Amino acid sequence: MSERMNSGETSKHFKAKVSYSSRTGLLFPVSHMDRMLCRGNFAKGIGATALVYVAAVLEYLIFNIVDRAGSITKHHNKHQISPWHLKLAIRNDFELNKLLGRVTNYQRGDAANNKSLLFQPKKTKDRKSSRRRTVPPPIPAE
């Protein structure tokens, strides 16, 4: 005989679903890695530990980049990380630059790889000096 449960009661044998990411202690979704690797047809079979490893590596890389970009953002007295800050974070780290050196960012131009140029305070221009026009030298007559 089956017993019906009221809406407030729970079964003793029922366990709540726990995601694979939370079981491994990762923030990146392991199931999403599984879906993407299966769609890519990279291999006939993909092991469960490979999925956890891929998710852990991506989580580590993203944490590293965002942490460095956040410190650059604070240094420039900004409150929001922009694509330019991400690019500076990648370019100023040797290993990240080696891994992601050829990645193109279309939202902002190329950043110089010179730290002295990146962290200089802004200079104010004199408006009057920029308005003055220089007279070209006269052309000598023959």
Side-chain angles (χ1 to χ4, degrees):
M1 296 171 78
S2 65
E3 297 178 11
R4 292 189 179 185
M5 297 186 327
N6 292 338
S7 60
E9 297 178 10
T10 58
S11 172
K12 294 178 183 177
H13 303 290
F14 178 73
K15 291 185 180 179
K17 287 187 178 182
V18 180
S19 69
Y20 201 50
S21 300
S22 63
R23 278 188 269 164
T24 57
L26 296 174
L27 297 175
F28 264 56
V30 177
S31 59
H32 187 73
M33 302 298 152
D34 181 26
R35 193 168 54 245
M36 291 297 124
L37 289 175
C38 287
R39 280 186 193 169
N41 291 327
F42 298 110
K44 290 181 182 177
I46 299 167
T49 55
L51 303 172
V52 175
Y53 187 78
V54 168
V57 168
L58 287 176
E59 183 176 322
Y60 173 75
L61 284 174
I62 296 300
F63 174 77
N64 234 351
I65 293 171
V66 170
D67 184 42
R68 291 176 189 276
S71 63
I72 289 174
T73 305
K74 278 186 181 179
H75 183 79
H76 287 289
N77 296 326
K78 303 288 183 183
H79 299 289
Q80 194 172 22
I81 296 175
S82 68
W84 186 65
H85 294 129
L86 292 171
K87 188 168 190 170
L88 287 180
I90 292 169
R91 296 293 180 254
N92 289 333
D93 186 52
F94 176 74
E95 293 171 345
L96 289 174
N97 192 23
K98 192 173 182 180
L99 180 66
L100 303 170
R102 304 191 86 191
V103 174
T104 306
N105 185 1
Y106 290 105
Q107 294 185 1
R108 187 95 183 227
D110 286 335
N113 206 7
N114 190 354
K115 290 184 181 180
S116 63
L117 292 175
L118 296 176
F119 297 118
Q120 284 181 349
K122 292 182 180 179
K123 295 180 181 178
T124 57
K125 291 183 179 180
D126 185 21
R127 290 187 179 185
K128 291 183 179 179
S129 64
S130 64
R131 290 183 187 169
R132 293 182 191 159
R133 295 185 182 176
T134 56
V135 179
I139 301 172
E142 293 183 16

